[in-house]
Amino acid sequence: MELYFPTEFGERLAYCSAAVTALIGLFLMFAPGYTYRILKLQVKEGRSDAYGEARSAGGFMLGFGLMAILLAQPMIYLALGASFGVAAFGRILALMSDRGSVIFSLLLLVVQAILAALPFLYGLGYI
């Protein structure tokens, strides 16, 4: 089985979104402590369950990104885009209701919106 690299520009953008998803998942899965520091989150002392949750979420993102890369189907890219779209909506809710770092949350919102738009627009046939 060969690794397929897309030839169309729109599919390349969706492919890059899947690759970034897999890289984020890989980092989250194998370096949850660093991820929590980047996201400015703290783990309660004596409670390491948060690391397990991060590893689980990272495994999900890694698996989803890799399957999108390996299968390279428009419907998989649509699912990836829709997932990041809902995550971006959750980020908007967090900005409106939580009292976190607004600048950092806005930056993450932009990243999530881009990661949602690229595969979603390709899957719908716009690019």
Side-chain angles (χ1 to χ4, degrees):
M1 183 171 144
E2 295 179 21
L3 183 63
Y4 169 74
F5 188 74
T7 55
E8 297 177 21
F9 179 69
E11 191 174 3
R12 282 185 185 171
L13 293 176
Y15 184 93
C16 288
S17 179
V20 169
T21 302
L23 286 174
I24 291 170
L26 187 70
F27 189 74
L28 186 59
M29 189 173 179
F30 291 107
Y34 290 121
T35 305
Y36 282 155
R37 281 189 215 127
I38 291 169
L39 296 174
K40 300 174 187 168
L41 298 173
Q42 294 178 352
V43 177
K44 216 177 193 183
E45 287 196 35
R47 301 286 306 220
S48 61
D49 298 340
Y51 293 119
E53 292 299 320
R55 291 182 198 278
S56 176
F60 180 80
M61 291 179 74
L62 177 63
F64 200 175
L66 286 178
M67 284 299 101
I69 289 170
L70 292 175
L71 295 176
Q73 297 294 314
M75 294 305 271
I76 301 290
Y77 289 133
L78 274 175
L80 182 64
S83 298
F84 269 114
V86 174
F89 178 69
R91 179 76 55 192
I92 291 170
L93 290 177
L95 279 167
M96 292 185 335
S97 61
D98 301 337
R99 296 178 187 208
S101 173
V102 174
I103 294 172
F104 189 66
S105 290
L106 284 173
L107 177 67
L108 290 175
L109 175 63
V110 168
V111 170
Q112 287 176 330
I114 290 169
L115 289 174
L118 296 177
F120 204 63
L121 291 174
Y122 170 71
L124 291 175
Y126 289 112
I127 55 172

